Each structure stands twice: as C-alpha cells, then as structure tokens.
Amino acid sequence: LPEIMRTPLEQLCLQVRAMDLAPSGDGGIASFLNKAVSPPSQSATANAVELLKAIGALTSDEANESEALTDLGKILSTLPMSPQIAKSLVMACILGCLDPILTLTSLLSQRTIFVSTLDRQAQADSAKMKLSCGYPSDHKTLLNAFNEWDSLQNGKDKEFAWRNFLSHSQLLKAKETRKQVSLCIQLTCP
C-alpha cells in the first residue's frame, strides 16, 4: 500500500495544513490530497477534515477562513500521534493530570498490551480482571497493568507480563513512546 493509505488521514490532513501545502479555504486540504498518485476517497478526506474541525484543530467558521489551523491545531500537529489522542494530552496539561494520560495515550496509540489465547482465555480474563482492581474501566486496567509492570526490575517485569497475559514487547514500546511524547510535550506545553 502507498504511504498515504497507511497514514491515519486525520493526522495527514493536519500535517498538510501545518506545512502550508494546501490552498487556504474550504476544500483546500482535499484538493491537495487529490493530487496524490493514490488519493484517499473524497468522503474519507471530508470525514477527516470534519473530525479536525470538531476537535478544534481546524476552523469551521464560514464567515472567516475555513480549514485554517487553530492554535490547538498547531500544537496537535507537533505531536506524533492521532489528533484525538494528542488533544487528550493537551487537555491533561491544562487540567494538571499529565502523568496518567501520558501513559494511557502511549498505550492507546499502539497495538494492545493484552495477549489472549483461545486455550487460556479464562485465565487471561481472570488476570485482566485482577489488574482492573475492581474498576469497570479498560483505561484504569491499562494504567494499572503498565504501572505495576514498570515498577518491576531484574527480569521480574518479563515474568509479570507473562503471568498476566501481557505483551512485554508492547509494554516496552509503550514505555519508549511515553518517553518520546513526554519530551514533545515538554517542548509544546511548558
């Protein structure tokens, strides 16, 4: 597949606008993307632009310039993840709860950390329930699993992951993503 088809379209539209590649005004982003060798469908582009407007990354004011990058959009375009997830980081900075949201966004921006096998599904579900600590929340379960794994050292982290049906490699990837995004956030939201 061409790169343009593998990249999340919302992120691509935001980058196109941030790099000032598209003509200004309504439909500018779509007209730029339509010049690609394998352009995304018009409806997919329209949906991506509408989502960016809905989260406040692009202006939607018909009286003024539509599809212009907002201040929030400028910040979101600097973060290496989907605009929706990036916005949660910006809001976490504002609300003073960055640490858990930084972990969650790192976990949510990749494949799941939970490993499931058909022959041990009941044990995997039980381990997941234990990690939830009684909270009926996937996000709280993710956060608990990561924090508990991250607190272990000397190979105990691998054993914890195996015992709790977690992917050690995905946890390592999330930890690295968290570190990188933390650096970006420090530069973006001092």
Side-chain angles (χ1 to χ4, degrees), residues 51-101:
L51 183 132
L52 291 170
K53 289 178 180 180
I55 66 171
L58 296 176
T59 59
S60 58
D61 186 4
E62 296 302 323
N64 295 318
E65 187 177 331
S66 186
E67 288 187 17
L69 208 56
T70 63
D71 290 339
L72 176 62
K74 290 174 188 170
I75 293 169
L76 299 182
S77 71
T78 66
L79 297 172
M81 54 188 47
S82 78
Q84 303 95 306
I85 292 176
K87 183 177 178 181
S88 67
L89 285 169
V90 173
M91 296 307 295
C93 286
I94 293 168
L95 298 173
C97 57
L98 181 59
D99 192 60
I101 301 303

Side-chain angles (χ1 to χ4, degrees), residues 104 107 112-115 122-152 157 159-167 171:
L104 280 173
L107 290 163
T112 183
I113 60 170
F114 296 107
V115 177
Q123 291 129 316
D125 289 344
S126 176
K128 194 172 184 181
M129 184 62 78
K130 184 179 170 191
L131 289 168
S132 76
C133 298
Y135 289 96
S137 166
D138 288 343
H139 291 138
K140 184 69 174 157
T141 304
L142 279 168
L143 197 56
N144 290 344
F146 181 87
N147 289 339
E148 201 165 330
W149 168 83
D150 195 37
S151 70
L152 301 171
D157 55 344
E159 204 244 301
F160 173 82
W162 183 82
R163 211 176 49 247
N164 288 285
F165 297 87
L166 302 172
S167 168
L171 286 161

